[in-house]
Amino acid sequence: PLEGTLFFSSEKGRELFHRALPRFQEVSDQILKKRKWEARDLERLIQVIPHMGEKNSRRAIHWMHELVSEVIEIDFSNKAISIGENLYRVASRLGIVDPHFDYYQGKNSIGYLKIQTFAKAAYPQYPSKVEEPMNWVGTKEEEGGHCFPVQPICEGCLFESFCPKLHLNFNPLE
């Protein structure tokens, strides 16, 4: 059984799910016919499925890459990473951006470009690989993160061994 949300009752959610199934089937067939995809193109295709927005389509292509890479080849090399508050905070703490000068104000802002450059340098074939760990580290304490806006918990952080907060002589950009 489907659970309701703040926006939809379980009955309405079930109805919307059933209405989306034919489109989902069409998109699935298109994906399997081509087999080799650019991540951006695949993401746009998935977004034609009702209620598949940017966040869900990004998650879907990453799961496809993890679960069925022998069936579908996805090229992530030109895929920009999604930058939110948590990721930007971690990038600032790691010294990838300077929050006093490298503001993030959407695409093509200095902060955006520096973070994209870092991701591409770290993983040239799969820049979005930095997204999940950086977002996770920046999440709220109940969700397992470490890099809080105030009083971060550095012990046990994924980036503890090279974070400039703990190692003043280390430049993560290098």
Side-chain angles (χ1 to χ4, degrees):
L2 294 175
E3 292 183 20
T5 67
L6 294 173
F7 306 106
F8 298 106
S9 66
S10 59
E11 293 79 26
K12 186 65 176 174
R14 188 175 11 265
E15 177 189 333
L16 292 170
F17 175 75
H18 286 286
R19 285 182 25 208
L21 284 175
R23 192 65 173 143
F24 180 77
Q25 183 65 48
E26 290 173 27
V27 169
S28 298
D29 291 342
Q30 287 179 344
I31 291 170
L32 290 174
K33 282 180 188 170
K34 191 171 174 182
R35 304 267 180 165
K36 288 187 176 190
W37 288 89
E38 289 260 343
R40 292 180 297 188
D41 296 337
L42 186 54
E43 187 176 333
R44 275 189 238 119
L45 175 64
I46 291 171
Q47 288 177 4
V48 303
I49 299 170
H51 307 287
M52 282 297 276
E54 182 180 346
K55 188 175 182 180
N56 286 333
S57 62
R58 290 177 80 80
R59 185 174 289 139
I61 63 171
H62 286 285
W63 277 105
M64 280 186 233
H65 178 71
E66 293 294 322
L67 299 174
V68 291
S69 59
E70 68 281 346
V71 178
I72 302 165
E73 184 180 325
I74 304 170
D75 179 7
F76 287 92
S77 62
N78 293 317
K79 179 82 175 95
I81 66 170
S82 179
I83 302 170
E85 180 182 331
N86 295 335
L87 190 140
Y88 182 80
R89 180 175 49 257
V90 173
S92 296
R93 289 253 169 81
L94 292 176
I96 297 164
V97 295
D98 182 339
H100 301 292
F101 300 104
D102 305 329
Y103 300 113
Y104 173 69
Q105 298 168 325
K107 289 185 178 180
N108 298 322
S109 64
I110 297 296
Y112 175 87
L113 295 172
K114 280 192 171 184
I115 293 170
Q116 296 299 336
T117 301
F118 167 77
K120 186 78 171 166
Y123 296 101
Q125 296 304 311
Y126 194 177
S128 55
K129 197 171 189 174
V130 302
E131 236 178 274
E132 187 177 345
M134 289 179 76
N135 273 316
W136 181 81
V137 167
T139 58
K140 294 180 178 71
E141 186 174 0
E142 310 86 50
E143 299 170 16
H146 293 270
C147 200
F148 313 124
V150 179
Q151 297 180 333
I153 301 171
C154 297
E155 187 177 322
C157 174
L158 293 173
F159 308 116
E160 179 181 11
S161 63
F162 57 87
C163 181
K165 184 175 179 359
L166 301 172
H167 305 280
L168 299 175
N169 297 330
F170 182 80
N171 182 355
L173 291 176
E174 294 174 356

